[in-house]
Amino acid sequence: MILLFSVKFKMIWQQLKLLILVLLLFIPTVGAIVVKLASVKFFQPEENDAGCIGPKLFSCLICLYVSGSLIPAKYAYVGLSVATTEGSWQTESKDYQFWVETDYTGNFTIKNVIPGVYGLHGWIPGFPGDYLGKEHITISAGSQTQLGNLTYVPPRDGPTLWEIGSPDRTAIGYYVPDVNPMYVNKLFLNSPEKFRQYGLWDRYTDVHPQFDQTFTIGSSNPKNDWFFANVDRRGADNKYLPTTWTIKFNLNPVTTGTYKLRLAIASATRSDLKAHVNDMDIEHLVFQVLNLGTDNTVCRHGIHGLYRLFSCDISSSFLVKGDNSIFLTQARGGDALCGVLYDYVRLEAPATAERSELSTLA
């Protein structure tokens, strides 16, 4: 009896192991099929299964002082996102976003949109700031939504006195140094993506070993004289020191009123950024933001991160007829990898009556 029971137990155990093996092989296969079908459902919707939106986005030419008319927002980037504030689409990651590029005339069509309620976001290369539609857009299955003509009025108070760079949300176009020969990556030798080389943050000290960067409007060239990242400078004892960049410019005359300094940031990492005008004391501090950014763009060999635009008021009482200076300070020391990548810097004269009329288009 004992022998017979033992044989039956072994047979049952063998069958049980076989069943477990079959289940282990079968369950992942079923799971893979389910995931695949779900992917098809979302990314390749059937006809009439998702909405379609096809309006035009127009940009009002920033400078009324140049044209005074609306121009098409050609090759702009336009997208639907559940984000509700300007630029917040950059950090919205819990829902799908749907983006396209406008054509030469500013037309665009966004297809295969999952039904829902969205904000219409956008930005235009060559113009600072973010567009956000005034109304939410509701997309239903099988629908087509026509929005007509939309107008974007980029931020501006007065005419441009000077500008540095081009507003494309990157630090491309500024000076990127050659890599230290110790750290050469041959993949990026003779490459347009020179910024991919390792250790470029330390090259700022090699370019400016004792004194920080000075940029003179009218004679300096951003491609040669504006370092791509405002980082700390390595001191004699290998401690990293805060840095202050100087922008020198001439005003003649000084107009009574409020000037506007636009600072478009392509990326920032643990930066304490300050701006002073003509003096470094507290009375001449016109802008300050602490612990800005966690992008880690420099150490990850990038050229842009999260875009930010700051607008700083400068009283005409701070300025003088003739030579003036603006000081941009990355005030946090002791960190080789903290810093700011500027996208675009612009100084505007005080607002005019013409600009007040233009603002009604927004």
Side-chain angles (χ1 to χ4, degrees), residues 25-181:
L25 292 173
F26 180 74
I27 290 175
T29 304
V30 173
I33 293 174
V34 171
V35 171
K36 184 176 181 180
L37 290 177
S39 298
V40 173
K41 174 68 174 178
F42 278 104
F43 297 111
Q44 298 179 15
E46 299 293 333
E47 187 176 359
N48 297 325
D49 191 39
C52 174
I53 181 169
K56 292 182 179 179
L57 174 64
F58 278 90
S59 166
C60 178
L61 185 61
I62 290 183
C63 299
L64 183 63
Y65 320 99
V66 174
S67 172
S69 61
L70 295 174
I71 62 170
K74 58 183 180 180
Y75 309 129
Y77 296 94
V78 186
L80 294 173
S81 169
V82 298
T84 57
T85 56
E86 293 181 6
S88 60
W89 60 267
Q90 297 179 100
T91 55
E92 204 296 305
S93 59
K94 294 185 178 180
D95 290 275
Y96 287 99
Q97 298 191 29
F98 304 89
W99 286 81
V100 295
E101 186 179 13
T102 66
D103 62 19
Y104 186 81
T105 63
N107 289 295
F108 67 91
T109 300
I110 305 176
K111 298 180 179 180
N112 299 332
V113 179
I114 295 175
V117 179
Y118 300 92
L120 182 65
H121 297 257
W123 64 276
I124 308 170
F127 298 85
D130 283 278
Y131 172 82
L132 176 62
K134 295 180 180 179
E135 304 293 336
H136 286 102
I137 299 171
T138 300
I139 302 296
S140 56
S143 67
Q144 289 195 3
T145 304
Q146 297 290 335
L147 298 183
N149 292 342
L150 305 172
T151 301
Y152 171 51
V153 181
R156 172 177 291 281
D157 282 10
T160 298
L161 296 175
W162 51 259
E163 59 187 353
I164 301 172
S166 176
D168 62 1
R169 298 177 175 240
T170 77
I172 291 174
Y174 296 129
Y175 174 67
V176 178
D178 292 332
V179 64
N180 186 320

Side-chain angles (χ1 to χ4, degrees), residues 72-281:
K74 58 183 180 180
Y75 309 129
Y77 296 94
V78 186
L80 294 173
S81 169
V82 298
T84 57
T85 56
E86 293 181 6
S88 60
W89 60 267
Q90 297 179 100
T91 55
E92 204 296 305
S93 59
K94 294 185 178 180
D95 290 275
Y96 287 99
Q97 298 191 29
F98 304 89
W99 286 81
V100 295
E101 186 179 13
T102 66
D103 62 19
Y104 186 81
T105 63
N107 289 295
F108 67 91
T109 300
I110 305 176
K111 298 180 179 180
N112 299 332
V113 179
I114 295 175
V117 179
Y118 300 92
L120 182 65
H121 297 257
W123 64 276
I124 308 170
F127 298 85
D130 283 278
Y131 172 82
L132 176 62
K134 295 180 180 179
E135 304 293 336
H136 286 102
I137 299 171
T138 300
I139 302 296
S140 56
S143 67
Q144 289 195 3
T145 304
Q146 297 290 335
L147 298 183
N149 292 342
L150 305 172
T151 301
Y152 171 51
V153 181
R156 172 177 291 281
D157 282 10
T160 298
L161 296 175
W162 51 259
E163 59 187 353
I164 301 172
S166 176
D168 62 1
R169 298 177 175 240
T170 77
I172 291 174
Y174 296 129
Y175 174 67
V176 178
D178 292 332
V179 64
N180 186 320
M182 294 175 58
Y183 306 128
V184 170
N185 184 335
K186 294 182 180 180
L187 289 175
F188 298 106
L189 287 177
N190 303 315
S191 167
E193 295 187 342
K194 191 176 180 180
F195 56 86
R196 298 289 186 187
Q197 295 285 0
Y198 177 80
L200 295 181
W201 57 86
D202 253 358
R203 298 294 280 167
Y204 176 78
T205 304
D206 299 331
V207 176
H208 303 283
Q210 293 183 322
F211 303 102
D212 285 323
Q213 170 181 288
T214 296
F215 189 93
T216 302
I217 300 298
S219 60
S220 297
N221 184 338
K223 292 183 178 180
N224 301 321
D225 304 313
W226 187 275
F227 202 81
F228 80 104
N230 188 354
V231 292
D232 283 357
R233 180 161 48 84
R234 189 179 66 255
D237 54 359
N238 284 327
K239 291 184 178 180
Y240 286 88
L241 308 173
T243 52
T244 297
W245 290 6
T246 303
I247 303 172
K248 293 185 175 182
F249 59 98
N250 188 278
L251 279 183
N252 188 13
V254 175
T255 303
T256 301
T258 301
Y259 289 72
K260 188 75 73 173
L261 177 65
R262 309 281 183 187
L263 296 175
I265 307 299
S267 179
T269 303
R270 299 184 300 277
S271 178
D272 295 342
L273 180 60
K274 300 180 180 181
H276 293 79
V277 177
N278 281 335
D279 205 320
M280 294 286 289
D281 59 22

